[in-house]
Amino acid sequence: MPLTVRYFAGARAAAGRSEEVTAAGRSLDDLTADLAQRHGARLAAVLRVASFLVDGVTCHDREAPLPGGATIDVLPPFAGG
């Protein structure tokens, strides 16, 4: 089953989309490298500082295989005020 990647705030602007579907069977590090290569330097910069949720849970092990069918949320740092 494929992965769904959802982009929020600055990640959405950098990727030029709010969501995409991509192949499963890899780690978060592998996924982010692929996304950076696919979408360019602007998204790569966001991915370096972003937090990631896997099915709503913070991902701490970036080398663990992502489960097929998972939803990955890309959350860049948010400004507050």
Side-chain angles (χ1 to χ4, degrees), residues 25-51:
R26 52 194 166 160
S27 69
L28 184 59
D29 279 344
D30 294 335
L31 173 64
T32 56
D34 178 53
L35 296 173
Q37 181 179 14
R38 200 177 324 166
H39 296 292
R42 189 168 168 212
L43 182 60
V46 172
L47 294 173
R48 282 193 292 275
V49 296
S51 298

Side-chain angles (χ1 to χ4, degrees), residues 12-71:
R12 179 178 29 231
R17 63 190 66 214
S18 60
E19 184 174 296
E20 69 182 290
V21 175
T22 188
R26 52 194 166 160
S27 69
L28 184 59
D29 279 344
D30 294 335
L31 173 64
T32 56
D34 178 53
L35 296 173
Q37 181 179 14
R38 200 177 324 166
H39 296 292
R42 189 168 168 212
L43 182 60
V46 172
L47 294 173
R48 282 193 292 275
V49 296
S51 298
F52 300 90
L53 302 179
V54 177
D55 290 334
V57 178
T58 302
C59 180
H60 295 288
D61 184 355
R62 295 177 58 106
E63 296 179 7
L66 295 167
T71 297

